[in-house]
Amino acid sequence: AIAPPQSKNKDEVKIISETVQLFEQMTYDFTLMAALEDRLFFRMKFNRARYSEGSIRRLENQWKQLLKEISNDATIPITHLSI
């Protein structure tokens, strides 16, 4: 889950890990799920035979960077976002 920063530092993005029960069987090699309840959270599921841990970590870091940029300025054009 992504929570608003507790401090006044706009560069801070707090990621909160939660356990989420899913009842849908995923059959894709890579799935990014997002859900909104009392907060927004994301979950990545991937086929370890097709994706290395390093590749998924890089993707996770890029995703966090994008979310950080969007949370700092939601009006920024997508072409100005960097990964």
Side-chain angles (χ1 to χ4, degrees):
I2 299 176
Q6 298 296 326
S7 70
K8 301 214 187 255
N9 183 353
K10 285 189 170 189
D11 292 334
E12 181 180 320
V13 175
K14 184 175 183 182
I15 306 295
I16 301 169
S17 177
E18 295 182 6
T19 302
V20 178
Q21 289 185 343
L22 297 175
F23 299 101
E24 183 176 347
Q25 177 64 38
M26 299 295 178
T27 58
Y28 301 104
D29 286 333
F30 181 85
T31 304
L32 176 62
M33 295 170 277
L36 178 61
E37 290 181 3
D38 60 332
R39 64 180 81 154
L40 182 63
F41 65 89
F42 297 89
R43 183 174 187 187
M44 289 190 295
K45 292 182 77 176
F46 62 96
N47 179 344
R48 291 183 185 275
R50 297 200 56 127
Y51 296 96
S52 70
E53 188 76 25
S55 294
I56 295 301
R57 290 285 173 218
R58 282 189 298 279
L59 184 59
E60 177 186 22
N61 290 334
Q62 291 170 342
W63 183 245
K64 287 177 184 178
Q65 177 63 31
L66 286 173
L67 293 172
K68 180 178 167 183
E69 289 184 43
I70 292 168
S71 68
N72 286 338
D73 182 1
T75 65
I76 190 169
I78 197 166
T79 56
H80 293 122
L81 296 173
S82 63
I83 55 172

